[in-house]
Amino acid sequence: MKAVQKFLVNPNVPERLRPLMEIAYNLWWVWNPDAIALFQRIDRDVWEQAEGNPIKMLGLVRQDTFVRLLSDDGFLSHLDRVHQDLRRYMEYATWYDKVHGKGLGSQIAYFSLEFGIHECLPIYSGGLGVLSGDHLKSTSELGLPVTGIGLLYRFGYFKQYLNRDGWQQEAFPVNDYYHMPVTAVLDKDSQPLTVQIEFPERAVTARLWRIQVGRVPLYMLDTNIDANLPQDREITSNLYGGDLDMRIRQEILLGIGGLRALNKLGTPPTVCHMNEGHSAFLALERIRLLREKEGLSFDEAREVVGATTVFTTHTPVPAGNDMFPPELMESYFRRYVEHLGLSMQQFLGLGRQDPNDAREPFCMTVLALKLAAFANGVSELHGKVSRRMWKRIWPGIPEPEIPITHVTNGVHTRSWYSDEIERLLDRYVGPEWLADPVNQSVWKRIENIPDSELWRSRERLRERLVAFARRKLREQFARRGIHRSLISQVDEVLDPEVLTVGFARRFATYKRAALLMHNPDRLNKILNHPDRPMQIIFAGKAHPKDHPGKELIRTIVHMTNREEFRRRVVFLEDYNMQIARTLIQGVDVWLNTPRRPMEASGTSGMKVAVNGGINLSMLDGWWCEGYQLHNGHSTGWAIGGGEEYDDHSYQDDIESRNLYDLIENEVAQTFYRRGPDGLPREWIGMMKTSMQRLCPVFNTNRMVEEYTERFYLPAILQWNWLAAESWSETRKLAEWRRKVAASWKEIRITALGSDQGAHHLVGDKLRVQAHVHLGSLTDDDVNVELFYGPLTPEGEIVNAATATLLPAGTTPNGQTVFEGSVQCASTGHHGFTVRVLPYHRGLIDKFSMGLVTWLEEPFQRLGLGLFKAQPARRPVTGKV
C-alpha cells in the first residue's frame, strides 16, 4: 500500500468576509432565513450545486466572486447584520438563565444514534433523528447546559433512487466531513482527540468531531481512522447497517465511548438523557466510573446513576427494541462485568424482564428502564402502550401505575415554517410567536390575520410545491432514461389550484402508505372529480432490507403510471429534510394512516400545522391529543374512532372506506365551498383553529421545558443531594435498600376495617384503618396506601386513586396501626384495598425496588375507634 501524506486545503476567504466561516460552522443558520439568504446571495447557482451546504459552497466559490463581494456594500451590510445576530444569540440571557439561574452548575448529556439537523448533514434516517435534532435546537433556544453525543457515519443512511419498474435502489455516497459544518476536536498538542473502547481481544479507537448547534455542542465519534482494524473502521460506516454484532459495537461505542469522550473533554455529565435504548450502556459506564473514582459499591453507584438518568422510548412494538443473545453479551462484556462487581448472571439480569430466565435475550430497553428513574413514551397513547409492553419488569404493580410516563413530542417551529407564514405572523401576531412559542395567548392572535391574506399565502405555497415537484420529476425521469416526449409532459402533472394531499414518511408496512389505493376505482372518482379534484404527492424511503416496504413504493409508482392517475399522483425520490420542508409547507392536507397503536408519536403533521396545513389522520400517536373541536371548528379530521383490530385485512377495508368518505363528504367539499369573494371561509377557519390550538403545544420548546421541569431539574437536585459530604447520603440510601429488601418478606397486612358500613352518601368521609406487621422494619421505612376507585362488574378496581394512611399507634400484639380517610365524591359501586410500599426521601420512583405487599385473604375484618390517631407526618388527601 502506498504511503500517503495528508494535508488540508481550506477556502481562501478574505479577512473582511471571515465571519462567513463562523456563521457557516454554527447550525444556527439552519433556522434563520436571513442567514440562509446571505449564503444564497453569494451565488445562488453554487448554493444549489452545494445542496444548501455553506461549507461546501464556500469551497466551490470562485476567488473573483469573493473579490466582487468585497466591494458590494449591500452584501457587507447583510453579512455584518447576520454576524451580529449570531453573536447576540450566543450571549443573551435565556429562559433557563432567567428561570433557573446558572447556580446549578450541571451538565446534561443527550445521547442519540442519529441526529437530523439539516440535509447537509445526512447522518439521520427519519423521525427519531429529526426529533433529536429539533431537541438540540430548542435546548439551544432555551439555554440549557446540554451537550449532544452521537456517531458520525461515513455513508450516512442512503440516497434513494427508483429503477424503471419502481423498485427502490440504494446508493451510499461518502460523507466528506471536510466539506460539512463539522470540525475536528483537537487535544492540547493539536492532535485529534480520541477515546478507546475495549472489545474482545482488542481496543478500538474513536476520534471526535464537533457540530455546533446554536449554543449546543454536538460531539460525534468516528472509528474510520488508520489505527483501527478494517472491521472496526466499519463501526461508523452506516446508520442501521450490518448484523447484531455490528449493532452491539455501535451501541457500545455510543454509550460507553460517548461517556468517555465527555469525561476526556472535561465536561462529565450530571444528567444523561438516552433518546431510545441504543445508548443504554452509558448507565453501566457511569456506574463503573463512580466505583473507580469515588469508591462506591455497585448498589451505591446505581443509586446515583438511576436518579440522574432519563430514558425516552420511541418504539411501540417489542420487535423494534434491540435485543442481543446472551452469548453475544458474554463475548463483549466478559471482562467489563468484573469492573462492575457483578457476576455474568447478575449482569444479564439487568437486561431481562425476568432476571431468572436464562433463555431471555438481553434487551436494551429493559436495561434502560431498570437504570433510569425517569422514563417516558412520546405521546399519551404511547405511554399507555409502553406500560403494557413492559409491565413484567414490575410484577404486582397495576398497569396504569407502571413508572413510564409520557412527554409528547414537538417540532422546532423555526426550522419548519415557510417565509410566507413568517411574514404573516410577524405582521399580525407579533414577534412573541418566535420568542415565546408556547404562549397560547399569543397564538390566539392568528384570528387577526385577514382570511384573504392567509389564503393567498397558502395558494403561493401550493404553487411553489407544484413547481418543485415538477422539477424533481424531470430529474427523476431523465435519470431513469424515460423518453423525452414523456418528460415534456411533466408540466401537465399536478395543478397549482387543486386540493393537494401529502404523504411522506418511512415506508414501513404499518404506516400503510397504500391505504388510499385500497379501491383504485373509487380513488379515481375522487382524484378526477369534475368539480372537486384532488392530487397526492408521495415521498419516503424503505429500509434497504425491508422488501414489503419496497413493494409498497413500487405499488404506488405503478399507480402513477396509469393514465387516470398520471397527472394526479406523483412519487418524489430520495426523501430528505429539503423535500420534507417543501411538502409540509405546500400541501393543503397531510395524510397519516398508521395501524393503531403502532405510531409512537409522529411529528410531520405538527410541521404541517405550523404552515396552515390540515391533518387527516388515524387516531394514533400525537393526533389523539391534537384532534379536537374549538369554537365550531376542528383542528383537522380523524379516521375512525380509535378502534384496534386483530384482523388487519378487515381493518384496512373498514378504514379505507372511512377515509374515502371523509375526503368526498368533508375534506373536498369544505375546500371547494367558496363564498361570493372566492374564499373557502370554513376551510380558513379550520386552518386558524389548527394553528391556534396545535402550534403552542406541539413544539420542542414546550417539550424541552417539560423535560427540564419534570426530569432534568429533579435529577440535578438529586445528584447534589446524593453527592454531598463524600456521597454519604448515597451510602445510607443503598444500605437502606439492602435492609428493606432483606426484610420485606416479613411484611403482611393483618387487619382492615372502615366505618359507617357499606352504604355512604356523596360528601361522606370514609375512614379506613389497617393493621400491618412490619417485622424488623419501622413505619418510617414504608408507605401504607389506600388503593380505591370504581368497581367493574367483575369486582376489579378501575381508574384507581391512592391516599396515604398514617401511623396511629400499635395494637397489643405489636401490629402497627395506619389510619386515613377519603371523601365520597361520586355515586356508584366502589371498592378499596390496602398496600404497603417502601418509603425513603431518596426514592424518586416508589416502584423502583419492585416491592409491594397487597392485602390478601385471610385477614381480620374490624371496626374502628380502637386507637387514637397521632399527628400525621405525611399529608393524606383523597376523593372517591
Side-chain angles (χ1 to χ4, degrees):
M1 185 176 181
K2 294 180 180 178
V4 177
Q5 294 295 309
K6 301 177 182 179
F7 61 95
L8 287 176
V9 178
N10 294 314
N12 186 12
V13 181
E15 185 65 28
R16 177 67 177 87
L17 303 180
R18 291 296 294 176
L20 285 170
M21 300 298 290
E22 182 181 342
I23 298 166
Y25 274 106
N26 190 320
L27 274 296
W28 166 86
W29 64 261
V30 165
W31 64 90
N32 283 271
D34 200 30
I36 295 172
L38 175 70
F39 291 121
Q40 291 173 332
R41 187 169 179 171
I42 295 172
D43 190 320
R44 184 174 286 272
D45 290 337
V46 176
W47 175 259
E48 296 292 337
Q49 182 185 348
E51 299 176 307
N53 178 349
I55 301 299
K56 185 177 181 180
M57 185 199 71
L58 291 173
L60 293 173
V61 168
R62 293 165 54 92
Q63 206 64 32
D64 58 1
T65 300
F66 287 133
V67 173
R68 173 180 57 80
L69 293 174
L70 287 172
S71 59
D72 186 337
D73 291 340
F75 178 82
L76 295 176
S77 176
H78 192 172
L79 171 61
D80 291 341
R81 182 176 70 247
V82 173
H83 189 219
Q84 289 167 9
D85 287 345
L86 173 59
R87 290 289 178 88
R88 278 194 295 267
Y89 176 85
M90 298 294 287
E91 295 169 1
Y92 78 78
T94 64
W95 169 82
Y96 188 79
D97 294 332
K98 295 173 183 175
V99 176
H100 301 292
K102 297 182 179 179
L104 292 173
S106 299
Q107 283 293 319
I108 302 164
Y110 184 84
F111 287 70
S112 184
L113 200 57
E114 54 174 301
F115 285 91
I117 302 167
H118 189 262
E119 58 268 22
C120 72
L121 285 167
I123 51 176
Y124 62 95
S125 72
L128 178 70
V130 174
L131 185 280
S132 300
D134 280 10
H135 190 110
L136 292 192
K137 292 171 187 176
S138 277
T139 58
S140 172
E141 300 277 85
L142 297 171
L144 271 68
V146 166
T147 300
I149 293 288
L151 304 185
L152 192 60
Y153 302 100
R154 183 157 42 110
F155 296 106
Y157 195 44
F158 66 88
K159 292 184 76 68
Q160 175 201 56
Y161 65 97
L162 306 181
N163 64 20
R164 297 195 68 166
D165 188 43
W167 189 257
Q168 174 180 290
Q169 308 290 304
E170 295 89 29
F172 294 89
V174 175
N175 283 332
D176 183 356
Y177 310 147
Y178 298 101
H179 285 101
M180 298 165 66
V182 179
T183 55
V185 179
L186 305 177
D187 62 18
K188 64 181 185 307
D189 298 318
S190 297
Q191 296 300 307
L193 188 69
T194 62
V195 293
Q196 278 201 333
I197 307 94
E198 296 76 26
F199 284 160
E201 312 304 329
R202 66 193 184 279
V204 173
T205 301
R207 69 175 300 183
L208 266 66
W209 300 81
R210 175 171 173 150
I211 299 169
Q212 192 67 30
V213 187
R215 297 181 182 85
V216 176
L218 169 59
Y219 292 100
M220 311 296 280
L221 290 93
D222 167 28
T223 62
N224 183 31
I225 58 176
D226 295 340
N228 289 329
L229 296 174
Q231 61 265 39
D232 295 326
R233 296 180 67 169
E234 295 298 310
I235 294 173
T236 54
S237 284
N238 294 92
L239 172 62
Y240 304 135
D243 55 13
L244 281 179
D245 187 72
M246 177 57 74
R247 177 58 67 87
I248 196 172
R249 284 189 285 160
Q250 287 185 331
E251 297 188 353
I252 290 172
L253 176 63
L254 175 64
I256 296 177
L259 196 70
R260 291 180 183 179
L262 289 175
N263 280 279
K264 198 162 188 179
L265 288 163
T267 55
T270 303
V271 176
C272 287
H273 187 164
M274 303 181 292
N275 191 42
E276 196 51 280
H278 307 126
S279 59
F281 292 137
L282 73 85
L284 300 174
E285 180 69 1
R286 295 184 78 195
I287 289 173
R288 185 191 70 80
L289 288 171
L290 284 168
R291 283 172 50 78
E292 179 182 293
K293 294 183 177 181
E294 305 295 339
L296 303 182
S297 68
F298 176 85
D299 290 339
E300 292 164 350
R302 183 176 179 177
E303 290 290 349
V304 179
V305 171
T308 57
T309 302
V310 181
F311 168 54
T312 299
T313 175
H314 293 259
T315 311
V317 290
N321 295 269
D322 286 339
M323 298 187 187
F324 301 114
E327 55 271 18
L328 187 63
M329 292 298 299
E330 291 182 32
S331 171
Y332 276 93
F333 286 90
R334 185 176 296 112
R335 295 179 180 174
Y336 192 88
V337 295
E338 297 175 6
H339 299 286
L340 297 177
L342 298 177
S343 69
M344 181 57 69
Q345 192 60 31
Q346 290 173 317
F347 170 73
L348 292 175
L350 293 173
R352 291 168 170 162
Q353 295 194 66
D354 180 357
N356 300 314
D357 183 357
R359 298 167 301 175
E360 186 178 334
F362 188 98
C363 178
M364 296 296 284
T365 301
V366 174
L367 176 66
L369 288 170
K370 288 187 175 182
L371 295 182
F374 306 96
N376 69 282
V378 288
S379 69
E380 184 177 10
L381 177 61
H382 182 230
K384 295 177 182 177
V385 170
S386 299
R387 289 189 287 274
R388 183 166 65 243
M389 282 175 59
W390 304 111
K391 62 184 178 183
R392 282 205 302 132
I393 299 175
W394 296 273
I397 305 303
E399 187 175 300
E401 293 189 291
I402 297 298
I404 304 174
T405 182
H406 77 276
V407 176
T408 301
N409 281 345
V411 298
H412 183 248
T413 307
R414 292 188 179 204
S415 293
W416 300 104
Y417 65 75
S418 63
D419 54 354
E420 292 282 346
I421 296 300
E422 178 194 19
R423 284 192 291 268
L424 280 180
L425 295 178
D426 284 346
R427 188 179 308 130
Y428 294 103
V429 176
E432 296 92 340
W433 75 276
L434 275 179
D436 190 11
V438 302
N439 189 334
Q440 295 200 19
S441 64
V442 170
W443 287 93
K444 288 179 181 178
R445 300 177 197 161
I446 292 284
E447 205 60 50
N448 298 336
I449 302 175
D451 288 357
S452 57
E453 288 196 48
L454 182 56
W455 185 244
R456 281 198 299 270
S457 293
R458 288 296 318 147
E459 290 189 306
R460 283 191 289 267
L461 289 169
R462 193 188 315 112
E463 289 172 359
R464 191 182 302 173
L465 170 60
V466 169
F468 174 85
R470 288 172 177 171
R471 185 170 68 252
K472 287 291 182 183
L473 285 174
R474 286 191 202 95
E475 295 171 1
Q476 292 172 196
F477 290 172
R479 187 195 48 73
R480 290 185 211 164
I482 292 176
H483 196 275
R484 286 195 301 273
S485 62
L486 291 177
I487 296 178
S488 66
Q489 296 176 21
V490 165
D491 285 341
E492 301 174 11
V493 174
L494 303 177
D495 184 331
E497 296 184 357
V498 164
L499 170 63
T500 303
V501 175
F503 183 100
R505 53 191 36 86
R506 182 166 56 91
F507 266 66
T509 51
Y510 80 86
K511 293 180 182 286
R512 298 190 295 175
L515 186 67
L516 197 57
M517 308 284 191
H518 198 74
N519 186 335
D521 291 336
R522 189 166 181 191
L523 179 61
N524 178 32
K525 293 177 182 177
I526 291 172
L527 296 181
N528 293 296
H529 191 283
D531 302 315
R532 298 186 296 276
M534 189 179 84
Q535 55 198 15
I536 315 164
I537 302 176
F538 287 96
K541 298 177 178 178
H543 188 279
K545 296 180 180 179
D546 183 4
H547 288 276
K550 291 183 177 183
E551 191 61 52
L552 279 175
I553 292 174
R554 180 162 63 177
T555 297
I556 290 171
V557 172
H558 282 198
M559 293 282 281
T560 68
N561 293 331
R562 290 170 54 166
E563 182 59 29
E564 65 269 33
F565 296 129
R566 188 173 60 82
R567 292 174 175 82
R568 295 290 189 226
V569 184
V570 301
F571 184 93
L572 301 183
E573 297 178 18
D574 200 28
Y575 185 50
N576 62 13
M577 292 179 76
Q578 179 201 24
I579 292 176
R581 274 195 305 275
T582 309
L583 272 173
I584 59 100
Q585 291 173 7
V587 297
D588 300 296
V589 173
W590 193 253
L591 179 63
N592 189 29
T593 53
R595 196 182 303 283
R596 178 185 165 111
M598 298 180 71
E599 183 85 294
S601 175
T603 57
S604 55
M606 303 174 190
K607 299 161 191 166
V608 171
V610 170
N611 290 283
I614 300 177
N615 282 271
L616 169 59
S617 175
M618 298 297 305
L619 282 172
D620 197 10
W622 80 282
W623 193 234
C624 297
E625 301 160 63
Y627 174 66
Q628 53 190 277
L629 295 172
H630 181 69
N631 290 339
H633 292 292
S634 67
T635 53
W637 290 276
I639 305 167
E643 301 87 357
E644 296 176 21
Y645 298 82
D646 295 325
D647 186 334
H648 289 173
S649 295
Y650 176 70
Q651 180 181 8
D652 291 348
D653 183 58
I654 291 292
E655 292 177 344
S656 64
R657 283 192 274 131
N658 184 202
L659 176 57
Y660 293 137
D661 289 342
L662 277 171
I663 292 173
E664 287 180 319
N665 301 327
E666 296 190 38
V667 179
Q669 292 204 24
T670 306
F671 182 85
Y672 287 105
R673 188 180 298 124
R674 308 296 167 94
D677 54 4
L679 296 178
R681 297 284 184 178
E682 186 179 352
W683 187 276
I684 295 170
M686 288 187 68
M687 289 168 56
K688 289 184 175 181
T689 297
S690 175
M691 296 175 77
Q692 288 173 325
R693 306 297 290 180
L694 303 182
C695 293
V697 177
F698 298 99
N699 66 75
T700 43
N701 280 43
R702 184 275 310 159
M703 183 189 80
V704 171
E705 284 185 23
E706 197 169 338
Y707 276 116
T708 303
E709 301 286 358
R710 294 175 57 190
F711 301 158
Y712 297 161
L713 291 176
I716 291 170
L717 294 174
Q718 193 72 355
W719 169 279
N720 293 339
W721 179 72
L722 290 169
E725 298 179 5
S726 300
W727 307 97
S728 64
E729 293 297 340
T730 298
R731 293 186 169 89
K732 292 177 186 176
L733 180 56
E735 177 57 35
W736 174 86
R737 275 191 191 258
R738 286 191 288 270
K739 178 191 75 171
V740 170
S743 305
W744 195 258
K745 59 182 178 293
E746 303 171 15
I747 289 183
R748 60 185 183 277
I749 303 167
T750 59
L752 179 67
S754 63
D755 59 0
Q756 300 185 30
H759 296 278
H760 305 273
L761 298 175
V762 171
D764 285 351
K765 280 197 172 182
L766 174 70
R767 194 161 64 100
V768 177
Q769 187 180 94
H771 297 182
V772 182
H773 176 75
L774 295 175
S776 56
L777 300 178
T778 71
D779 57 55
D780 284 330
D781 297 321
V782 300
N783 206 30
V784 178
E785 291 185 341
L786 185 67
F787 185 88
Y788 61 96
L791 291 176
T792 66
E794 295 76 26
E796 294 291 325
I797 297 174
V798 293
N799 299 322
T802 61
T804 300
L805 303 183
L806 301 175
T810 58
T811 65
N813 61 354
Q815 310 291 297
T816 303
V817 178
F818 292 85
E819 285 187 354
S821 64
V822 291
Q823 189 176 31
C824 300
S826 61
T827 60
H829 198 200
H830 297 262
F832 68 88
T833 186
V834 171
R835 66 184 181 190
V836 185
L837 293 162
Y839 174 81
H840 191 282
R841 171 256 183 267
L843 281 185
I844 294 176
D845 168 22
K846 64 183 179 182
F847 300 118
S848 63
M849 296 183 65
L851 300 175
V852 58
T853 297
W854 292 87
L855 175 71
E856 293 182 351
E857 298 282 2
F859 67 92
Q860 179 187 358
R861 291 169 172 80
L862 47 82
L864 296 184
L866 300 176
F867 300 95
K868 183 178 180 181
Q870 297 175 356
R873 286 177 291 180
R874 294 191 287 271
V876 49
T877 58
K879 291 185 178 181
V880 177

